[in-house]
Amino acid sequence: MSQAETSRDDQPDVPGDTNIRPLRPASHDLVAWCLDRLNHHDAIAQHDPLATGVRSLAIDLLEHLQDGALDLASLHSVVRQISDRALIDRAGRLREQCPPADWTATVKAALAPLEEAGVAEIRAAVETTRAGVVFTAHPTFALSRRMRAILAGIASGEADAVSALGDVPHAPDPAITLGTEHEDVRAALLNAQDALRKLNRAILDWLEVHVPSKWWSLRPAPLQLATWVGYDLDGRTDIHWAETLRFRLEEKALQLARYRDGLAEIGGDGVLPLIERLSAAEAETAAQAAQFAGDLEDPDVVVAAANRLTADGPGRLTSLAPILEAMDTLIAEESDTARRKALCVLAAEMAACGLGIARIHLRVNAAQVRSAVQADLDLSGLAEFHDRRALAAAAEKTAETTAANVNFGAVLQESMTARRQMMLCAQILKHIDADAPIRFLIAEVEAPATIMGAVYLARHYGVADKLDISPLFETPPVIERGGRFMERLFDEEEYVAYIRGRGRVSLQFGFSDSGRFMGQIGANLAIERLQIQVARAMADRGIDDVEVLLFNTHGESMGRGGFPGTLAERFDHLFTPWARARYAQKDFRALAEMSFQGGDGYLYFTTPALAEATTCGIAAWAFAPPGIESPAEDAFYADIDFSWDIYRAVKSWQEALFEDEHYQDVLGAFPPNLLPATGSRKTRRQSGTSKGAGARGMRAIPHNAALQQLAAPANVMGGLGLAARREPERFLAHIEGSPRFSRLMVMVMRARRLTSMAVLRTYADLYSPSFWTIQASRTDSEDAAKVAYRIADRLSRRDHDHAIQRLANLLSRDRRQLDTVCADMVGDDRRGDGIGDRSFPRELYVLHAVRLVLVMQAFSLTASTPGFSHRHDLTHEVLIDMALDLRFAEVAETIETIFPISQEAAEAFSALTEPSDIAAEQAGYPEIKRGIADPLRWIDGAIKEISVGIAHFYGAYG
């Protein structure tokens, strides 16, 4: 906690000079004035446990707004200045995380163990894919494309990037669609592909020296790229299957053009036939995509598009095998080294990406799979899917089934999502790309029979040999039972036959959702344990001839699994050195994938420099050895019993928090309306939850974003106080003796420094009827008193203030316990940068203070709305309730409906011949629009800009 967080919870250190500063803000530097006043109020608050500097600053600003010393534009300038500085700092952290790529040094270090190896060993090493990157469409597009480009430019060291900030708002683009998300991911993927070309060229340079006679016959495949943007149907119903096909065809056309242009750049007579073949295929694919851009609800349009896609013709190309064969011939015959190397680089890209810009992941949820197979398996509900007989029935059905032929008529008429997606896989493999495997992710998995049921569907539709079916472990019960879950699958001969046929077993681990329920520290520990259990289960059953693909899906923020450190530390957090070592010890090929989610994730690939730095960092990590062999090297594993005591303490605390009625009430009340729309996906699932479900009905991103906005990242640091206080000395020894646990504590303490109980409690004051009643009693204006009483009356019907205070008490107690134990590591210096640091950013307090002022002003504006008739099916009280939910844009729109600017004369009266002076003056309420509706709409936008500014301090949105 910083010196600004006074209190109710801590006694902060404050500057010695506590003289009262000028009470009126200086227009030339309002930010400095705010910080000055904050220091003044903090000094006073040391003697008042119920006071907070941030609340007193907010009241200062409100008073000056009301007396005319300030206006809304002045407050907005404060927001812009602080947000700009926060964005620049955020870009600096991104630059530190992604130092410039050094391809030669990276490859030299990666391949150093192969200096004396033979050709076969070197080939196996460079042709084995070590890691993967998956781009997802999670709604973290809180920054507009222009602002993302500026942030990335600053991080990339572009000289003029900071000056480009200008008046660019800290806000998302106004209309984010799946189409715009798909455009963004294509741009990111193309930068990633360019970076991979440089990595592969550097590997070929190394091979040229170490395998001089055969270097060109080796095909590097260090990393793979994938995307599910446009292919993810988990929890959403707004993606038409034909739109998915259009996206896939557009990606194919784009990649074919890339291959064609690459060959043209290389030049030479030998490439001309390939250029012609690729050009014809690109033109035909683009035409196919255009066909699927029509009215997809019109069967005639779909039939025409499907017939074009399935028809034979000179431009039809569904496999790169003949192209790659021709490339191999060209490479073998080429005498010019530079041209040969360029051909090798392009061939490596062709082999990795196939007929698309990346591999694709289709995603459904377990309920959709159950619905698709339960009739075939003679099962009636979820309970029966947990029964061992269900797994046996699915395995038996899989063994019996034969592949069915599919056409687009079957796809069009199928109403079950899982079946339709399987058919879509069949059609993609038949008519778009026959070579590239497809990932089939199943979210919210709960029973092994669901996975076996999906294998049955894959066999039934003839795609099992190209489809990697992957369960997603993301909820505490499934993660904790995940080892047994996979053991049951590994005991089924049909499942083992399936993964051996594919040559891999694919698993996905969800850090984001699991962290919502059991906290990020608990989730991370549980996922590591599950990853190790999978290796042990396979080894026990002799399943050592398949690759293990571990897809760790997480966000960029700490609350969703993003580690606030170097790229290597980020990846070690997801797939720990100890877990990697367990796979290496058992001679398993483990391929680790990591996600880069939405706008925040694409930042790492927004510029060529960042894409190269990120790709270089991934490669360095993927080739490096785990770095740990024995439990004795890390106290976390040497003293595993105490480690699991910590896990159980954190998990139990976090689960109790999530079930806490006050926590549910607070997060489900006004915080979601602080958030801008940051993606095409809804913040709540399109089925299964209601608005009144509190935090339970929120997806992980808005859930975590709401905690950020309340200055309470409890899902990262919560529960560590409980764990620490049980055995303090042993806890400290664990940190000092364990690289693993000390890294976790880095994340905890980063969240600790971004936590403020003062801010959280001030939001309680905002929703306190007492606060507004006192405000009424202190004003000389009768009208202002009436407005304040109206707000107090509506707030008295809620309990948000008490819920926030009780939540703050819960968080404060656990935080105090953590501080008491961990303060010993830095002595009495509570203001240092180590463990125990309390430096909540002071400018972040100012952002919260300005937002509090704007919210108070919006409450008052709404409550000052003149009375209106009940014919509008709305009461004045309901209008105020909408404002208390922070639905200010909706309130403005409603007010404009009730009080229109003008009232158009009825059409029938236009024919009157009698003149009238009154008729020329249209009756209306322009003053209400000017004085209430317009300011409310402006405040709504400003509040959401502040939310994005706050997110900069946390390094990511949501």
Side-chain angles (χ1 to χ4, degrees):
M1 180 179 305
S2 80
Q3 41 196 359
E5 188 177 343
T6 21
S7 132
R8 304 169 170 190
D9 299 280
D10 293 273
Q11 293 299 321
D13 296 320
V14 299
D17 181 7
T18 59
N19 292 328
I20 297 177
R21 303 301 182 184
L23 294 181
R24 299 189 69 78
S27 59
H28 64 278
D29 195 351
L30 187 52
V31 174
W33 181 88
C34 289
L35 294 170
D36 200 42
R37 293 296 293 168
L38 191 59
N39 286 341
H40 166 69
H41 291 306
D42 284 343
I44 295 173
Q46 288 188 86
H47 308 288
D48 182 357
L50 296 180
T52 67
V54 65
R55 182 181 66 178
S56 297
L57 174 60
I59 293 173
D60 275 354
L61 292 170
L62 180 65
E63 289 175 350
H64 290 308
L65 186 64
Q66 292 171 341
D67 68 18
L70 287 176
D71 57 17
L72 292 178
S74 300
L75 292 177
H76 190 247
S77 73
V78 171
V79 173
R80 287 306 310 274
Q81 288 179 56
I82 294 176
S83 297
D84 283 354
R85 287 200 283 262
L87 179 133
I88 293 169
D89 288 346
R90 177 180 176 183
R93 294 194 299 272
L94 180 58
R95 190 173 189 179
E96 290 177 2
Q97 190 180 31
C98 302
D102 186 336
W103 299 113
T104 300
T106 298
V107 170
K108 182 179 179 180
L111 301 182
L114 301 173
E115 293 278 357
E116 305 299 327
V119 174
E121 187 178 352
I122 292 174
R123 181 185 298 276
V126 301
E127 293 187 349
T128 297
T129 302
R130 304 301 184 100
V133 174
V134 183
F135 294 86
T136 76
H138 284 78
T140 64
F141 296 87
L143 296 179
S144 64
R145 285 176 173 173
R146 189 177 174 192
M147 187 61 88
R148 286 204 306 274
I150 292 170
L151 194 162
I154 297 171
S156 300
E158 296 175 7
D160 59 346
V162 173
S163 61
L165 276 170
D167 293 326
V168 180
H170 293 262
D173 289 312
I176 304 172
T177 66
L178 183 63
T180 60
E181 291 170 349
H182 191 253
E183 291 169 2
D184 288 343
V185 80
R186 286 189 308 194
L189 277 164
L190 292 179
N191 279 339
Q193 285 194 30
D194 287 343
L196 268 178
R197 284 186 178 183
K198 293 190 175 183
L199 173 59
N200 286 334
R201 182 177 294 277
I203 292 173
L204 288 165
D205 288 343
W206 188 93
L207 291 173
E208 186 181 4
V209 173
H210 294 84
V211 192
S213 62
K214 293 185 178 181
W215 66 266
W216 47 266
S217 69
L218 279 68
R219 182 159 292 155
L223 308 177
Q224 67 183 27
L225 304 175
T227 175
W228 78 38
V229 183
Y231 308 102
D232 173 19
L233 296 189
D234 173 34
R236 61 189 300 172
T237 58
D238 59 329
I239 304 177
H240 194 286
W241 64 265
E243 187 175 21
T244 294
L245 269 185
R246 175 172 62 81
F247 286 147
R248 185 62 183 85
L249 288 166
E250 289 173 350
E251 292 168 8
K252 178 179 177 179
L254 188 64
Q255 193 66 16
L256 285 167
R258 182 176 169 87
Y259 295 151
R260 177 200 63 208
D261 294 344
L263 285 170
E265 185 177 342
I266 293 168
D269 294 338
V271 303
L272 293 178
L274 289 180
I275 290 175
E276 292 176 1
R277 181 75 180 92
L278 292 169
S279 295
E282 188 271 335
E284 172 59 26
T285 304
Q288 293 169 351
Q291 292 271 120
F292 278 99
D295 181 4
L296 302 180
E297 300 303 324
D298 184 345
D300 291 338
V301 170
V302 176
V303 167
N307 285 339
R308 176 69 182 261
L309 178 60
T310 59
D312 288 327
R316 182 177 174 84
L317 181 66
T318 59
S319 173
L320 275 181
I323 303 295
L324 280 168
E325 185 177 345
M327 290 285 287
D328 287 339
T329 301
L330 287 174
I331 291 168
E333 296 175 351
E334 183 57 63
S335 59
D336 181 85
T337 300
R339 188 175 290 161
R340 171 181 274 178
K341 194 170 293 181
L343 288 169
C344 287
V345 169
L346 189 58
E349 183 174 295
M350 289 179 174
C353 296
L355 291 169
I357 57 176
R359 303 282 175 87
I360 64 170
H361 290 189
L362 274 66
R363 193 164 81 136
V364 299
N365 61 51
Q368 291 167 328
V369 175
R370 289 198 307 270
S371 296
V373 302
Q374 63 184 13
D376 289 11
L377 302 184
D378 195 26
L379 300 172
S380 60
L382 175 60
E384 294 194 17
F385 270 83
H386 285 281
D387 194 292
R388 177 173 290 277
R389 290 170 297 179
L391 180 58
E396 183 178 350
K397 199 74 175 177
T398 301
E400 295 173 352
T401 194
T402 56
N405 194 33
V406 174
N407 67 12
F408 280 106
V411 178
L412 184 62
Q413 296 176 73
E414 180 57 64
S415 61
M416 291 187 176
T417 300
R419 286 183 180 273
R420 187 172 60 242
Q421 293 299 91
M422 285 284 184
M423 293 180 190
L424 206 57
C425 291
Q427 296 301 83
I428 289 172
L429 290 165
K430 277 195 295 184
H431 304 299
I432 298 179
D433 188 344
D435 302 324
I438 298 172
R439 192 81 51 80
F440 198 85
L441 304 171
I442 303 177
E444 300 176 358
V445 71
E446 66 324 72
T450 303
I451 302 304
M452 200 67 234
V455 175
Y456 154 66
L457 290 177
R459 287 260 183 94
H460 180 63
Y461 294 114
V463 295
D465 61 329
K466 289 290 185 181
L467 204 66
D468 290 313
I469 295 168
S470 174
L472 167 55
F473 298 96
E474 59 183 336
T475 61
V478 175
I479 290 175
E480 291 204 310
R481 297 196 307 265
R484 182 59 188 141
F485 183 108
M486 292 308 302
E487 286 176 356
R488 291 177 62 187
L489 283 172
F490 292 144
D491 287 337
E492 282 295 340
E493 291 183 8
E494 284 301 321
Y495 181 77
V496 175
Y498 160 69
I499 60 175
R500 280 187 166 137
R502 281 293 306 127
R504 68 163 47 139
V505 56
S506 298
L507 306 170
Q508 183 183 3
F509 306 94
F511 286 76
S512 188
D513 262 316
S514 58
R516 179 159 58 111
F517 300 113
M518 60 200 298
Q520 271 305 321
I521 304 305
N524 182 271
L525 295 175
I527 288 172
E528 177 191 36
R529 175 172 174 263
L530 175 53
Q531 291 169 343
I532 294 170
Q533 286 175 332
V534 169
R536 186 182 303 136
M538 293 177 67
D540 289 346
R541 290 158 178 78
I543 307 173
D544 54 5
D545 52 348
V546 299
E547 178 183 69
V548 185
L549 192 152
L550 306 159
F551 174 23
N552 298 300
T553 177
H554 62 98
E556 308 309 320
S557 69
M558 293 180 291
R560 297 183 53 245
F563 188 84
T566 66
L567 287 173
E569 289 171 337
R570 169 188 172 124
F571 306 141
D572 277 346
H573 182 71
L574 303 170
F575 190 29
T576 66
W578 180 249
R580 291 177 69 192
R582 298 313 94 208
Y583 281 84
Q585 188 181 60
K586 300 177 189 304
D587 290 325
F588 285 138
R589 299 194 316 274
L591 194 165
E593 286 183 330
M594 62 283 294
S595 61
F596 288 84
Q597 297 190 348
D600 283 343
Y602 301 171
L603 274 172
Y604 290 85
F605 297 88
T606 297
T607 66
L610 281 176
E612 290 176 22
T614 304
T615 303
C616 193
I618 295 171
W621 175 83
F623 276 93
I628 182 172
E629 297 296 332
S630 165
E633 300 174 53
D634 191 308
F636 185 88
Y637 306 105
D639 190 2
I640 196 66
D641 289 340
F642 183 61
S643 298
W644 285 107
D645 285 345
I646 294 173
Y647 163 75
R648 282 186 286 269
V650 171
K651 177 176 177 287
S652 65
W653 190 96
Q654 288 283 346
E655 289 178 339
L657 173 69
F658 195 80
E659 293 301 321
D660 185 84
E661 61 177 314
H662 308 303
Y663 184 79
Q664 290 292 328
D665 179 45
V666 172
L667 263 67
F670 65 90
N673 293 319
L674 292 168
L675 310 176
T678 58
S680 66
R681 195 176 74 171
K682 304 298 183 185
T683 58
R684 295 180 184 272
R685 292 190 175 273
Q686 294 182 345
S687 62
T689 60
S690 65
K691 184 179 178 182
R696 294 182 184 86
M698 300 171 71
R699 290 181 183 270
I701 291 173
H703 174 270
N704 192 62
L707 291 173
Q708 289 178 353
Q709 296 304 317
L710 296 174
N715 58 339
V716 181
M717 62 171 286
L720 269 298
L722 173 65
R725 74 175 175 85
R726 290 178 172 175
E727 294 185 67
E729 294 80 9
R730 196 173 178 185
F731 188 88
L732 291 174
H734 226 52
I735 296 173
E736 293 172 353
S738 168
R740 166 74 166 126
F741 192 55
S742 64
R743 281 195 300 271
L744 290 177
M745 290 302 295
V746 166
M747 176 181 275
V748 169
M749 288 303 165
R750 169 71 175 159
R752 171 68 186 83
R753 288 191 287 272
L754 290 167
T755 298
S756 170
M757 291 301 104
V759 168
L760 181 58
R761 293 189 190 278
T762 301
Y763 283 104
D765 295 334
L766 180 68
Y767 279 87
S768 168
S770 298
F771 174 82
W772 290 94
T773 301
I774 294 170
Q775 288 288 87
S777 70
R778 290 182 175 180
T779 181
D780 294 330
S781 167
E782 187 62 27
D783 288 339
K786 288 179 180 178
V787 165
Y789 283 133
R790 287 172 188 162
I791 297 169
D793 286 345
R794 298 313 301 168
L795 286 174
S796 66
R797 290 163 173 77
R798 303 178 176 223
D799 196 32
H800 294 337
D801 56 328
H802 292 141
I804 296 172
Q805 292 286 12
R806 288 164 184 160
L807 175 60
N809 292 342
L810 176 65
L811 301 182
S812 181
R813 176 175 295 186
D814 186 71
R815 188 190 60 186
R816 175 64 180 178
Q817 291 170 340
L818 178 64
D819 287 352
T820 299
V821 174
C822 292
D824 293 341
M825 295 188 66
V826 288
D828 294 326
D829 183 7
R830 295 292 188 96
R831 296 172 61 187
D833 290 330
I835 293 177
D837 187 349
R838 300 171 176 221
S839 56
F840 188 81
R842 296 188 58 73
E843 289 194 335
L844 190 47
Y845 278 113
V846 177
L847 278 184
H848 280 286
V850 173
R851 182 159 69 187
L852 287 160
V853 171
L854 294 179
V855 172
M856 286 188 277
Q857 183 73 354
F859 285 178
S860 297
L861 283 170
T862 304
S864 67
T865 303
F868 49 85
S869 68
H870 288 275
R871 64 187 176 88
H872 294 284
D873 295 324
L874 189 74
T875 65
H876 205 268
E877 289 77 12
V878 171
L879 197 66
I880 296 174
D881 286 344
M882 291 167 61
L884 298 180
D885 289 337
L886 308 190
R887 294 154 56 190
F888 299 134
E890 189 178 344
V891 171
E893 183 178 353
T894 303
I895 288 174
E896 287 177 340
T897 300
I898 298 171
F899 301 100
I901 299 175
S902 63
Q903 296 174 356
E904 298 296 332
E907 183 71 24
F909 296 133
S910 63
L912 287 173
T913 58
E914 182 182 10
S916 170
D917 294 331
I918 297 175
E921 300 175 4
Q922 295 296 323
Y925 306 92
E927 72 284 354
I928 293 179
K929 172 178 170 56
R930 234 181 357 256
I932 299 179
D934 287 349
L936 280 172
R937 190 172 282 111
W938 184 92
I939 287 172
D940 183 76
I943 285 172
K944 290 179 169 62
E945 276 198 54
I946 291 171
S947 297
V948 175
I950 288 172
H952 292 323
F953 287 86
Y954 293 85
Y957 173 86

